[in-house]
Amino acid sequence: MARKPVDVREYAKGVLDGSRTVLARAITLVESTKPAHRELAQQLLVELLPHAGGAQRVGITGVPGAGKSTFIEALGTSLTAAGHRVAVLAVDPSSSRSGGSILGDKTRMARLAVDENAFVRPSPTSGTLGGVARATRESIVLVEAAGYDVVLVETVGVGQSEIAVANMVDCFLLLALARTGDQLQGIKKGVLELADVVAVNKADGPHEADARKAARELTGALRLLRGPEAAPKVLTCSGLTASGLDDVWGAVQAHRAALESSGELDSRRRQQQVDWAWSMVHDQLLASLHGSPEVRAVVPELERRVRDGQLTATLAAEEILRVFRSLG
Ligand SMILES: Nc1nc2c(ncn2[C@@H]2O[C@H](COP(=O)(O)OP(=O)(O)OP(=O)(O)O)[C@@H](O)[C@H]2O)c(=O)[nH]1
């Protein structure tokens, strides 16, 4: 077993040399919330940033049961067979509550987990969505520096985590399911607005016709929602039989090529960095507000008075902010 790296240079060298053990440890470092680790992690990221940015970053979402792990396993193995190096990361804030990650679990991607050209990492399991998303964003830098040229970031299609993932990738892929009667059931409008490519999954055997019908309906719905120009392409595929995966990957690449030729890829990534900085400011301000004993001392009473109609929400917010600001 490799010796544990002790300083930033050693970490950086190990990552750049493609050591999986050091890469795994470096990710653990960026996931840590301990101040000493945070400082070391930031130094490491500064060191590795010049070597990052080379991968195709793809977000993958879908409701639980949409077949994300089967799809990623099939797509990932076909990409490694074609000579790519594939990293799979995940954003699953529920894992911080349950203590166990439902996404990116190695046992769900048995073939990819033992593929020497793939690196599968479960979702970080500590902290808020902001914290989990930060760790995953920083892990993208690490896996890119380690030479992975495709980064797949998986997220479960419930809650705010899709927005976080859409903001860290070049292409956001939605895996949908055919559901007779109500094809849009379970897919939130917000996710339809974020998707760059949509694939109706499990288009195999007796489900194939339903999947094609769902794809047509989704195409119509997306044109209404986003306009004919901006509406993403809707395809059908099966993670189980691997049919249609080439087309889905083709659509992901076509989307990237369009972004690249218009110069938008670069500006999108730069804007993502700015948004990321601000989202950390928001998270940290809120965390220090909620963590302050002075604020906590006044909040229950203010909330009670708002609930009872004795105080307006505006005045309550002003009072909370006044107490927070007075702390200097
Ligand atoms: N027919 C068919 N079944 C599939 C396909 N992909 C996955 N399944 C089945 O659907 C179920 C869920 O698949 P997973 O790949 O675990 O799905 P997931 O979206 O990761 O699900 P969660 O882990 O619950 O989020 C499993 O029973 C799979 O065998 C597919 O392409 N076709």
Side-chain angles (χ1 to χ4, degrees):
M1 186 126 154
R3 199 169 51 85
K4 208 168 174 162
V6 286
D7 69 16
V8 170
R9 287 261 155 74
E10 263 188 82
Y11 266 114
K13 185 174 180 315
V15 170
L16 291 170
D17 286 349
S19 158
R20 302 171 72 93
T21 322
V22 178
L23 175 61
R25 286 197 182 124
I27 294 181
T28 305
L29 185 68
V30 302
E31 286 173 355
S32 171
T33 48
K34 289 195 185 127
H37 291 170
R38 294 293 313 127
E39 203 182 315
L40 203 60
Q42 292 311 304
Q43 290 169 12
L44 178 63
L45 290 163
V46 168
E47 195 96 355
L48 292 177
L49 261 178
H51 306 276
Q56 184 146 354
R57 304 171 183 169
V58 182
I60 299 176
T61 192
V63 293
K68 292 180 294 300
S69 16
T70 310
F71 175 88
I72 292 172
E73 167 105 326
L75 177 67
T77 44
S78 88
L79 289 172
T80 58
H84 290 286
R85 294 187 67 213
V86 179
V88 180
L89 305 173
V91 173
D92 172 17
S94 66
S95 65
S96 43
R97 268 173 273 139
S98 63
S101 171
I102 54 167
L103 294 185
D105 181 348
K106 290 184 183 180
T107 57
R108 296 187 315 141
M109 297 173 196
R111 273 185 300 152
L112 211 52
V114 295
D115 187 329
E116 62 175 31
N117 289 312
F119 183 85
V120 181
R121 178 80 181 191
S123 174
T125 53
S126 69
T128 54
L129 168 62
V132 170
R134 177 196 54 72
T136 302
R137 272 177 191 272
E138 293 179 349
S139 300
I140 293 178
V141 173
L142 301 180
V143 295
E144 287 183 345
Y148 291 87
D149 65 327
V150 175
V151 182
L152 305 177
V153 186
E154 179 184 15
T155 191
V156 71
V158 288
Q160 290 289 304
S161 46
E162 302 94 331
I163 299 175
V165 171
N167 279 331
M168 62 178 90
V169 295
D170 309 324
C171 182
F172 194 57
L173 168 65
L174 167 65
L175 287 187
L177 286 177
R179 292 206 165 111
T180 24
D182 181 4
Q183 307 294 7
L184 294 182
Q185 177 200 335
I187 306 175
K188 285 183 280 108
K189 195 166 159 251
V191 177
L192 289 176
E193 275 159 2
L194 293 172
D196 298 306
V197 175
V198 179
V200 181
N201 195 26
K202 305 196 183 181
D204 47 45
H207 316 292
E208 203 176 331
D210 281 347
R212 290 192 193 288
K213 183 163 174 271
R216 284 192 298 275
E217 292 189 16
L218 269 172
T219 303
L222 283 160
R223 284 198 180 137
L224 278 179
L225 187 69
R226 304 205 5 205
E229 295 295 308
K233 203 165 180 155
V234 184
L235 301 144
T236 58
C237 70
S238 164
L240 202 62
T241 65
S243 85
L245 292 191
D246 288 350
D247 292 341
V248 173
W249 187 245
V252 168
Q253 280 181 307
H255 172 263
R256 184 187 158 106
L259 283 183
E260 236 165 356
S261 64
S262 66
E264 221 183 300
L265 184 67
D266 192 48
S267 57
R268 185 189 269 222
R269 283 186 170 189
R270 285 168 196 272
Q271 189 56 42
Q272 285 177 344
Q273 296 301 310
V274 175
D275 293 347
W276 178 13
W278 277 110
S279 82
M280 284 190 284
V281 171
H282 283 252
D283 285 355
Q284 281 172 30
L285 274 178
L286 265 186
S288 47
L289 188 144
H290 287 301
S292 124
E294 290 83 353
V295 171
R296 275 151 73 159
V298 298
V299 159
E301 177 62 10
L302 290 172
E303 283 188 353
R304 187 195 62 73
R305 289 172 60 201
V306 172
R307 226 176 270 121
D308 292 351
Q310 296 167 4
L311 186 69
T312 65
T314 306
L315 286 175
E318 278 171 8
E319 180 58 14
I320 290 170
L321 290 169
R322 191 193 61 75
V323 172
F324 185 55
R325 284 195 200 105
S326 72
L327 301 173

